[in-house]
Short mmCIF file of all heavy atoms in Angstrom, two decimals:
data_model
loop_
_atom_site.label_atom_id
_atom_site.label_comp_id
_atom_site.label_asym_id
_atom_site.label_seq_id
_atom_site.Cartn_x
_atom_site.Cartn_y
_atom_site.Cartn_z
N LEU A 1 13.16 -24.87 -2.13
CA LEU A 1 12.71 -26.07 -2.83
C LEU A 1 13.93 -26.84 -3.34
O LEU A 1 14.69 -26.35 -4.18
CB LEU A 1 11.79 -25.70 -3.99
CG LEU A 1 10.45 -25.07 -3.57
CD1 LEU A 1 9.62 -24.72 -4.80
CD2 LEU A 1 9.67 -25.99 -2.64
N LEU A 2 14.11 -28.05 -2.81
CA LEU A 2 15.20 -28.94 -3.20
C LEU A 2 14.71 -29.95 -4.22
O LEU A 2 13.50 -30.12 -4.41
CB LEU A 2 15.73 -29.68 -1.96
CG LEU A 2 16.20 -28.82 -0.79
CD1 LEU A 2 16.41 -29.68 0.44
CD2 LEU A 2 17.48 -28.08 -1.16
N ASP A 3 15.63 -30.67 -4.84
CA ASP A 3 15.25 -31.65 -5.85
C ASP A 3 14.46 -32.80 -5.24
O ASP A 3 14.90 -33.42 -4.26
CB ASP A 3 16.50 -32.20 -6.55
CG ASP A 3 16.14 -33.14 -7.68
OD1 ASP A 3 15.46 -32.70 -8.62
OD2 ASP A 3 16.50 -34.33 -7.60
N ALA A 4 13.31 -33.08 -5.82
CA ALA A 4 12.41 -34.11 -5.29
C ALA A 4 13.01 -35.51 -5.41
O ALA A 4 12.60 -36.42 -4.68
CB ALA A 4 11.07 -34.06 -6.02
N ARG A 5 13.96 -35.71 -6.31
CA ARG A 5 14.54 -37.02 -6.55
C ARG A 5 15.90 -37.17 -5.87
O ARG A 5 16.61 -38.17 -6.10
CB ARG A 5 14.67 -37.29 -8.05
CG ARG A 5 13.38 -37.06 -8.82
CD ARG A 5 13.49 -37.50 -10.26
NE ARG A 5 12.34 -37.08 -11.06
CZ ARG A 5 11.98 -37.60 -12.23
NH1 ARG A 5 12.70 -38.60 -12.75
NH2 ARG A 5 10.92 -37.15 -12.88
N ASP A 6 16.29 -36.16 -5.09
CA ASP A 6 17.62 -36.15 -4.46
C ASP A 6 18.72 -36.33 -5.49
O ASP A 6 19.74 -36.99 -5.24
CB ASP A 6 17.72 -37.25 -3.38
CG ASP A 6 16.86 -36.95 -2.17
OD1 ASP A 6 16.80 -35.78 -1.76
OD2 ASP A 6 16.22 -37.89 -1.64
N GLY A 7 18.51 -35.75 -6.66
CA GLY A 7 19.48 -35.87 -7.74
C GLY A 7 20.26 -34.57 -7.94
O GLY A 7 20.21 -33.65 -7.11
N TYR A 8 20.97 -34.53 -9.05
CA TYR A 8 21.74 -33.35 -9.41
C TYR A 8 20.87 -32.45 -10.30
O TYR A 8 19.98 -32.93 -11.00
CB TYR A 8 23.02 -33.76 -10.13
CG TYR A 8 23.84 -34.76 -9.34
CD1 TYR A 8 23.92 -36.10 -9.73
CD2 TYR A 8 24.51 -34.37 -8.19
CE1 TYR A 8 24.66 -37.02 -8.99
CE2 TYR A 8 25.26 -35.28 -7.44
CZ TYR A 8 25.33 -36.60 -7.86
OH TYR A 8 26.05 -37.50 -7.11
N THR A 9 21.16 -31.16 -10.28
CA THR A 9 20.30 -30.21 -10.96
C THR A 9 21.10 -29.29 -11.87
O THR A 9 21.84 -28.43 -11.38
CB THR A 9 19.52 -29.36 -9.94
OG1 THR A 9 18.97 -30.22 -8.94
CG2 THR A 9 18.40 -28.60 -10.61
N PRO A 10 20.96 -29.42 -13.19
CA PRO A 10 21.65 -28.51 -14.10
C PRO A 10 21.11 -27.08 -13.95
O PRO A 10 19.94 -26.87 -13.62
CB PRO A 10 21.30 -29.07 -15.49
CG PRO A 10 20.82 -30.46 -15.25
CD PRO A 10 20.19 -30.44 -13.90
N THR A 11 21.95 -26.11 -14.22
CA THR A 11 21.55 -24.71 -14.13
C THR A 11 20.29 -24.39 -14.94
O THR A 11 19.40 -23.68 -14.45
CB THR A 11 22.71 -23.79 -14.55
OG1 THR A 11 23.82 -24.00 -13.66
CG2 THR A 11 22.31 -22.33 -14.51
N PRO A 12 20.15 -24.88 -16.20
CA PRO A 12 18.94 -24.56 -16.96
C PRO A 12 17.66 -25.05 -16.29
O PRO A 12 16.60 -24.44 -16.47
CB PRO A 12 19.16 -25.28 -18.30
CG PRO A 12 20.64 -25.38 -18.43
CD PRO A 12 21.13 -25.62 -17.03
N ALA A 13 17.73 -26.14 -15.53
CA ALA A 13 16.54 -26.65 -14.85
C ALA A 13 16.12 -25.70 -13.73
O ALA A 13 14.92 -25.52 -13.48
CB ALA A 13 16.80 -28.04 -14.29
N VAL A 14 17.09 -25.11 -13.05
CA VAL A 14 16.77 -24.12 -12.02
C VAL A 14 16.22 -22.85 -12.66
O VAL A 14 15.21 -22.30 -12.20
CB VAL A 14 18.02 -23.79 -11.17
CG1 VAL A 14 17.73 -22.66 -10.18
CG2 VAL A 14 18.50 -25.04 -10.42
N SER A 15 16.86 -22.40 -13.73
CA SER A 15 16.41 -21.19 -14.42
C SER A 15 14.98 -21.35 -14.91
O SER A 15 14.14 -20.45 -14.76
CB SER A 15 17.33 -20.87 -15.60
OG SER A 15 18.63 -20.56 -15.15
N ARG A 16 14.68 -22.50 -15.51
CA ARG A 16 13.35 -22.74 -16.04
C ARG A 16 12.30 -22.76 -14.92
O ARG A 16 11.19 -22.24 -15.07
CB ARG A 16 13.34 -24.06 -16.81
CG ARG A 16 12.08 -24.27 -17.62
CD ARG A 16 11.26 -25.43 -17.07
NE ARG A 16 9.87 -25.29 -17.52
CZ ARG A 16 8.82 -25.51 -16.73
NH1 ARG A 16 9.01 -25.87 -15.48
NH2 ARG A 16 7.60 -25.35 -17.19
N ALA A 17 12.66 -23.35 -13.78
CA ALA A 17 11.74 -23.40 -12.65
C ALA A 17 11.41 -22.00 -12.15
O ALA A 17 10.24 -21.70 -11.83
CB ALA A 17 12.34 -24.23 -11.52
N ILE A 18 12.41 -21.14 -12.07
CA ILE A 18 12.20 -19.75 -11.64
C ILE A 18 11.27 -19.03 -12.61
O ILE A 18 10.29 -18.39 -12.21
CB ILE A 18 13.54 -19.01 -11.55
CG1 ILE A 18 14.43 -19.62 -10.46
CG2 ILE A 18 13.32 -17.52 -11.28
CD1 ILE A 18 15.86 -19.12 -10.49
N LEU A 19 11.57 -19.13 -13.90
CA LEU A 19 10.77 -18.44 -14.91
C LEU A 19 9.33 -18.94 -14.94
O LEU A 19 8.38 -18.15 -15.05
CB LEU A 19 11.41 -18.61 -16.30
CG LEU A 19 12.74 -17.88 -16.51
CD1 LEU A 19 13.36 -18.29 -17.83
CD2 LEU A 19 12.53 -16.37 -16.46
N ALA A 20 9.15 -20.24 -14.84
CA ALA A 20 7.81 -20.82 -14.88
C ALA A 20 6.99 -20.35 -13.68
O ALA A 20 5.82 -19.98 -13.82
CB ALA A 20 7.88 -22.34 -14.92
N HIS A 21 7.61 -20.38 -12.51
CA HIS A 21 6.90 -19.92 -11.31
C HIS A 21 6.50 -18.46 -11.44
O HIS A 21 5.34 -18.10 -11.15
CB HIS A 21 7.78 -20.09 -10.07
CG HIS A 21 7.17 -19.47 -8.84
ND1 HIS A 21 6.38 -20.19 -7.96
CD2 HIS A 21 7.21 -18.20 -8.34
CE1 HIS A 21 5.96 -19.40 -7.00
NE2 HIS A 21 6.46 -18.19 -7.19
N ASN A 22 7.43 -17.62 -11.88
CA ASN A 22 7.14 -16.19 -11.95
C ASN A 22 6.13 -15.86 -13.05
O ASN A 22 5.34 -14.92 -12.90
CB ASN A 22 8.44 -15.41 -12.13
CG ASN A 22 9.32 -15.47 -10.89
OD1 ASN A 22 8.84 -15.74 -9.79
ND2 ASN A 22 10.61 -15.25 -11.06
N ALA A 23 6.14 -16.62 -14.15
CA ALA A 23 5.15 -16.41 -15.20
C ALA A 23 3.76 -16.78 -14.71
O ALA A 23 2.77 -16.09 -14.98
CB ALA A 23 5.51 -17.24 -16.43
N GLU A 24 3.66 -17.88 -13.99
CA GLU A 24 2.37 -18.31 -13.45
C GLU A 24 1.87 -17.31 -12.42
O GLU A 24 0.68 -16.99 -12.36
CB GLU A 24 2.51 -19.69 -12.82
CG GLU A 24 2.77 -20.79 -13.83
CD GLU A 24 3.20 -22.10 -13.18
OE1 GLU A 24 3.25 -22.14 -11.93
OE2 GLU A 24 3.47 -23.06 -13.91
N GLY A 25 2.80 -16.77 -11.62
CA GLY A 25 2.41 -15.79 -10.61
C GLY A 25 1.90 -14.51 -11.24
O GLY A 25 0.91 -13.93 -10.80
N ALA A 26 2.58 -14.08 -12.32
CA ALA A 26 2.16 -12.86 -13.01
C ALA A 26 0.78 -13.04 -13.61
O ALA A 26 -0.05 -12.13 -13.61
CB ALA A 26 3.18 -12.49 -14.08
N GLY A 27 0.56 -14.25 -14.15
CA GLY A 27 -0.73 -14.51 -14.77
C GLY A 27 -1.86 -14.51 -13.75
O GLY A 27 -2.98 -14.08 -14.03
N ALA A 28 -1.55 -14.97 -12.55
CA ALA A 28 -2.57 -15.01 -11.51
C ALA A 28 -2.76 -13.64 -10.87
O ALA A 28 -3.77 -13.39 -10.22
CB ALA A 28 -2.18 -16.03 -10.43
N GLY A 29 -1.78 -12.76 -11.08
CA GLY A 29 -1.90 -11.40 -10.56
C GLY A 29 -1.47 -11.24 -9.12
O GLY A 29 -1.49 -10.14 -8.58
N ALA A 30 -1.10 -12.32 -8.47
CA ALA A 30 -0.76 -12.19 -7.05
C ALA A 30 0.38 -13.12 -6.66
O ALA A 30 0.44 -13.62 -5.55
CB ALA A 30 -1.98 -12.49 -6.19
N GLY A 31 1.30 -13.39 -7.59
CA GLY A 31 2.37 -14.32 -7.32
C GLY A 31 3.52 -13.70 -6.55
O GLY A 31 3.79 -12.50 -6.66
N ARG A 32 4.17 -14.50 -5.76
CA ARG A 32 5.37 -14.08 -5.07
C ARG A 32 6.57 -14.47 -5.91
O ARG A 32 6.69 -15.63 -6.32
CB ARG A 32 5.44 -14.73 -3.69
CG ARG A 32 4.34 -14.28 -2.74
CD ARG A 32 4.50 -14.89 -1.37
NE ARG A 32 3.57 -14.33 -0.41
CZ ARG A 32 3.55 -14.64 0.88
NH1 ARG A 32 4.41 -15.53 1.36
NH2 ARG A 32 2.67 -14.09 1.69
N ARG A 33 7.48 -13.55 -6.15
CA ARG A 33 8.60 -13.81 -7.05
C ARG A 33 9.57 -14.84 -6.49
O ARG A 33 9.92 -14.81 -5.32
CB ARG A 33 9.35 -12.51 -7.35
CG ARG A 33 8.58 -11.54 -8.21
CD ARG A 33 9.45 -10.35 -8.55
NE ARG A 33 9.86 -9.64 -7.35
CZ ARG A 33 10.90 -8.80 -7.30
NH1 ARG A 33 11.66 -8.63 -8.37
NH2 ARG A 33 11.20 -8.17 -6.17
N ALA A 34 10.01 -15.72 -7.37
CA ALA A 34 10.98 -16.76 -7.01
C ALA A 34 12.36 -16.39 -7.54
O ALA A 34 12.51 -15.58 -8.46
CB ALA A 34 10.54 -18.09 -7.59
N ASP A 35 13.37 -17.00 -6.96
CA ASP A 35 14.74 -16.89 -7.43
C ASP A 35 15.44 -18.21 -7.14
O ASP A 35 14.78 -19.20 -6.81
CB ASP A 35 15.46 -15.69 -6.80
CG ASP A 35 15.44 -15.72 -5.27
OD1 ASP A 35 14.86 -16.68 -4.70
OD2 ASP A 35 15.99 -14.79 -4.64
#
């Protein structure tokens, strides 16, 4: 997954995206882990 705006991406934005995806996956019980 690349930046939708073709912009620059700070490290915290990548970290937050990983955590949000994995939290949602855990909640659904069948998520695939992101990195």
Side-chain angles (χ1 to χ4, degrees):
L1 294 179
L2 304 168
D3 184 61
R5 309 188 190 199
D6 290 320
Y8 306 108
T9 313
T11 298
V14 174
S15 296
R16 191 246 159 223
I18 295 169
L19 291 172
H21 173 92
N22 292 338
E24 292 168 2
R32 294 183 172 184
R33 290 185 299 160
D35 55 0

